[in-house]
Amino acid sequence: MEFKVGDLAEVLEGEVLRTTENNSVLVRIADKQHTLRLLKTGTTEFEFMLDNTFHHAKILQSGSAEVKLVLDGQPLTVKKHSKLTEVLEKVSALSGAGGGDRNLASQIPGRVVNIAAKVGAEVKKGDVIVVLESMKMQVAVKAHKDGSLKEIKVKQGASVARYDVLAVIE
């Protein structure tokens, strides 16, 4: 996975090595190992500890190929990698931080052909929220839990990648 910080020409390479005890993840960034622990997540902001140092991040724009965010006041672009999303969701669930369980994510890449639910609606597990089209087949993305549909993060006609967040259910 690649990280590009602000306007710097340097691109850092990184990878997730493994999850550890204490709801932490061992990562390698530029050939150095670091411990990352997710503290708090939301739909556009999250807090984490990296090697015992606190950091705050705000997501400015999330596309299918990269995420633009502000990390401790500095602009940062992260090229997406499916493993990163999996690890963040796993750590979020382990730590009990809100976010991972609230997010309804796409399990396939595709194009949004229908938004079947409205923001504010009460939904039941299994209710269709969004319909995607992939390889000329339509796939219904269903609510993963009962709750209130707080936010729909896609628009009809938009392309989504695997693991992109489509909606938030609280």
Side-chain angles (χ1 to χ4, degrees):
M1 154 178 17
E2 296 178 342
F3 302 90
K4 180 161 176 33
V5 181
D7 295 328
L8 299 177
E10 183 179 10
V11 174
L12 303 174
E13 287 289 325
E15 76 176 299
V16 176
L17 300 174
R18 64 182 160 83
T19 56
T20 64
E21 66 280 346
N22 303 57
N23 305 325
S24 297
V25 177
L26 191 61
V27 297
R28 182 189 56 77
I29 301 172
D31 296 324
K32 288 182 74 177
Q33 288 190 8
H34 303 275
T35 302
L36 179 124
R37 186 166 59 111
L38 194 59
L39 301 173
K40 177 181 168 189
T41 62
T43 55
T44 60
E45 294 186 57
F46 56 98
E47 296 174 348
F48 63 96
M49 298 290 289
L50 181 65
D51 295 336
N52 299 317
T53 304
F54 175 83
H55 297 279
H56 176 265
K58 180 170 180 143
I59 298 171
L60 301 175
Q61 180 182 0
S62 179
S64 60
E66 64 185 23
V67 177
K68 293 184 183 206
L69 52 99
V70 174
L71 177 63
D72 298 333
Q74 293 292 322
L76 176 74
T77 300
V78 178
K79 292 186 179 180
K80 279 193 176 176
H81 187 281
S82 62
K83 196 71 175 165
L84 175 64
T85 305
E86 289 176 36
V87 168
L88 287 175
E89 288 177 356
K90 184 184 289 186
V91 170
S92 177
L94 287 173
S95 66
D101 190 42
R102 299 172 5 157
N103 294 337
L104 177 64
S106 172
Q107 295 302 310
I108 61 167
R111 186 176 57 85
V112 178
V113 293
N114 187 27
I115 298 174
K118 297 199 182 306
V119 172
E122 290 298 317
V123 296
K124 299 271 186 214
K125 183 176 181 175
D127 287 354
V128 176
I129 307 298
V130 175
V131 178
L132 300 177
E133 183 177 82
S134 180
M135 297 174 60
K136 299 184 181 179
M137 293 176 51
Q138 291 192 357
V139 177
V141 180
K142 299 177 181 180
H144 59 294
K145 67 177 192 169
D146 294 350
S148 175
L149 187 57
K150 181 181 179 200
E151 184 178 3
I152 295 178
K153 297 182 101 24
V154 293
K155 296 191 182 323
Q156 191 163 335
S159 292
V160 298
R162 186 173 185 200
Y163 304 118
D164 278 359
V165 176
L166 305 176
V168 177
I169 301 173
E170 289 188 329

